[in-house]
């Protein structure tokens, strides 16, 4: 049907084309097909076919270049059939897949990429290292990266691999917890245990193992995992905790919950039951609250620092969108794009989506990128609005954007800007996380 629209076939021309080029009629002679097409006569059918060939030969419609309208006999049909089959159908099939899978709205672009999606770009050997690590007894993997860098997608790939290796898995997003859950350590830990139970399909029996007044909430939580959950599972339990930095906002909870995770990891050195517990956590920022280094879970286990895509990874993603950067000009502009965005996965996907579906050129995209009217306008205005509500952060970001090198900020300001993905930490200094943010905020703050 797409061919009918592209080559302006209407009425009887449309009907005859669909019948003549149907797969089951390819080998049939015209004298058999005209009746199937319900043409008034064979001569009428032939006239309609001549018009169809003329439509498909038009250069302005990117028609078949080998179609000779002056030729005689059945050759025109074979030439057009083969061209449609080998060229146009392939192009249509690819574009339809692209439209189905990659014409993404803003919500879908912001969402984690499924592990089996062609839009998931591996950062070898990172995934393979994580797969190997998560199978170790008492494993702890720490994934750190700013917002929308792929933490959740990687975390879910790790869980999927662990599940394929025989482990029971649970994904828990701390952002899904209501604010009231963080009113006390006991309430938070009960929420934590109940939701892990629910994900495992195990009835939560908190009251049977909980004795806050006698032993405290942390011991009760540990007992619940050790004596109930782990004991009632065959094999290991792999827990993926996403957005762990949510607890950073609640000092009293963080100062107990985070050391508890560290202690469970260390229990695997001496207790067989805790060797069956594997943990992968994802967080956006460095922890800025005061925790004893010997109790922090952020200096043990296997660290994973997600960075932006490199040029080859962006090219691979562009290919998944159907873009073929082969000319010297395309490659040059693509490198400028990667440099401007520092390979940030979300920002790169916005660019590729615009190139494919808004028919933009790379040159135009680069020129408009740091402006209000560019494809990043909504994204940049969102950051602008957040900064305007926090004047101290706006002043700090102005200082960072105006400087030609890294600057020093207070720990809290650096943490908050880092958590927003606006800056990157380089030792004690802070710099814009990409050139897009530097140019935008330098012009407006």
């Amino acid at each position: 049907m797409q061919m009918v629209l592209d080559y302006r076939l209407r009425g009887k021309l449309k009907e005859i084309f669909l019948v003549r080029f149907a797969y089951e009629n390819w080998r049939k002679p015209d004298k058999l097909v005209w009746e199937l097409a319900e043409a008034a006569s064979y001569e009428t059918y032939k006239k309609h076919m001549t018009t169809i060939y003329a439509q498909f030969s038009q250069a302005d419609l990117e028609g078949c270049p080998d179609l000779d309208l002056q030729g005689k006999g059945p050759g025109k049909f074979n030439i057009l059939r083969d061209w449609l089959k080998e060229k146009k159908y392939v192009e249509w099939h690819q574009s339809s897949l692209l439209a189905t899978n990659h014409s993404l709205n803003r919500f879908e672009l912001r969402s984690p990429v499924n592990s089996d999606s062609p839009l998931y770009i591996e950062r070898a050997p990172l995934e393979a290292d994580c797969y190997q690590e998560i199978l170790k007894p008492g494993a702890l993997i720490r994934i750190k990266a700013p917002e929308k860098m792929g933490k959740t997608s990687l975390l879910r790939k790790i869980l999927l691999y662990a599940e394929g290796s025989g482990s029971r898995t649970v994904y828990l997003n701390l952002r899904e917890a209501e604010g009231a859950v963080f009113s006390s350590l006991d309430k938070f830990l009960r929420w934590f245990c109940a939701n892990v139970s629910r994900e495992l399909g195990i009835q939560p029996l908190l009251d049977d193992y909980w004795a806050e007044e006698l032993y405290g909430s942390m011991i009760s939580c540990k007992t619940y995992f050790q004596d109930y959950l782990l004991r009632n599972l065959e094999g290991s339990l792999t827990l993926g905790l996403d957005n762990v930095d949510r607890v950073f906002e609640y000092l009293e909870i963080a100062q107990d919950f985070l050391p508890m995770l560290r202690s469970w990891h260390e229990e695997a050195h001496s207790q067989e039951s805790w060797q069956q517990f594997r943990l992968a956590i994802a967080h956006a920022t460095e922890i800025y609250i005061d925790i004893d280094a010997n109790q922090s879970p952020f200096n043990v286990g296997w660290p994973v620092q997600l960075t932006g895509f490199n040029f080859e990874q962006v090219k691979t993603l562009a290919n998944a969108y159907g873009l073929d950067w082969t000319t010297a000009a395309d490659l040059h502009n693509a490198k400028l794009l990667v440099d401007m965005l520092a390979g940030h996965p979300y920002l790169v996907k916005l660019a590729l989506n615009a190139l494919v579906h808004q028919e933009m050129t790379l040159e135009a995209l680069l020129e408009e990128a740091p402006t209000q009217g560019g494809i990043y306008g909504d994204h940049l205005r969102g950051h602008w609005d957040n900064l305007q509500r926090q004047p101290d952060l706006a002043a700090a970001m102005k200082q960072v954007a105006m400087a030609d090198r890294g600057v020093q900020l207070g720990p809290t300001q650096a943490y908050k800007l880092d958590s927003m993905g606006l800056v990157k930490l380089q030792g004690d200094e802070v710099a814009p996380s990409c050139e897009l943010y530097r140019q935008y905020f330098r012009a407006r703050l």
Side-chain angles (χ1 to χ4, degrees), residues 131-152:
Y131 297 158
Q132 183 177 359
E133 192 67 26
I134 201 62
L135 299 184
K136 294 180 180 178
L140 170 60
I141 296 177
R142 300 179 283 112
I143 306 169
K144 177 185 176 294
E147 289 295 315
K148 299 193 259 318
M149 288 288 287
K151 299 185 300 297
T152 299

Side-chain angles (χ1 to χ4, degrees), residues 4 56 71 96 131 143 150 171 209 218-219 225 240 257 259 262 285 314 319 323 325 358 371 390 422 425:
V4 169
F56 276 95
S96 64
Y131 297 158
I143 306 169
Y171 169 80
Y209 295 87
M218 291 171 59
I219 294 298
F225 265 78
F257 177 65
R262 160 81 176 252
T285 65
V314 172
N319 287 336
L323 295 170
W325 290 334
Q358 297 179 27
T371 69
Q390 304 175 76
L422 292 177
L425 306 180

Side-chain angles (χ1 to χ4, degrees), residues 334-365:
K335 289 178 180 177
L336 292 178
L337 178 69
V338 175
D339 290 342
M340 172 172 277
L341 306 179
H344 191 297
Y346 171 66
L347 300 179
V348 168
K349 287 173 186 174
L350 281 179
L352 298 180
N353 204 55
L355 291 173
V356 171
H357 299 291
Q358 297 179 27
E359 298 183 353
M360 294 187 71
T361 64
L362 270 168
E363 294 90 339
L365 192 152

Side-chain angles (χ1 to χ4, degrees), residues 7 35 103 114 151 229 243 251 270 282 301 329 373 394 414-415:
Y7 291 90
E35 292 182 349
S103 182
N114 292 332
K151 299 185 300 297
L229 295 183
N243 295 301
L251 180 61
S270 57
Y415 155 75

Side-chain angles (χ1 to χ4, degrees), residues 149-218:
M149 288 288 287
K151 299 185 300 297
T152 299
S153 296
L154 176 60
L155 184 60
R156 286 180 167 167
K157 278 189 79 75
I158 293 171
L159 293 177
L160 187 64
Y161 182 82
E163 184 177 23
S165 300
S167 181
R168 294 293 302 276
T169 61
V170 170
Y171 169 80
L172 200 59
N173 186 352
L174 296 190
R175 279 191 183 165
E176 295 179 353
E178 300 173 359
V181 167
F182 296 93
S183 61
S184 70
L185 177 66
D186 188 69
K187 190 165 186 176
F188 173 73
L189 292 181
R190 288 177 71 94
W191 174 89
F192 175 59
C193 291
N195 277 277
V196 172
S197 302
R198 177 179 57 83
E199 292 294 324
L200 289 170
I202 297 177
Q203 182 180 1
L205 299 177
L206 296 173
D207 292 339
D208 292 354
Y209 295 87
W210 217 267
E212 177 195 2
E213 295 183 359
L214 189 60
Y215 300 114
S217 301
M218 291 171 59

Side-chain angles (χ1 to χ4, degrees), residues 13 25 33 56 85 89 137 148 208 232 248 252 256 291 301 313 344 399 403 410 412:
L13 291 178
N25 296 331
V33 174
F56 276 95
K85 178 179 67 172
Y89 176 76
K148 299 193 259 318
D208 292 354
N232 283 282
F248 297 176
E252 293 184 359
D256 287 327
I291 292 182
Q313 289 164 338
H344 191 297
Q399 184 181 352
T412 302

Side-chain angles (χ1 to χ4, degrees), residues 104-119:
L104 305 175
N105 61 39
R106 195 158 295 261
F107 172 78
E108 291 169 323
L109 282 165
R110 290 172 61 92
S111 301
V113 178
N114 292 332
S115 59
D116 59 349
S117 169
L119 301 186

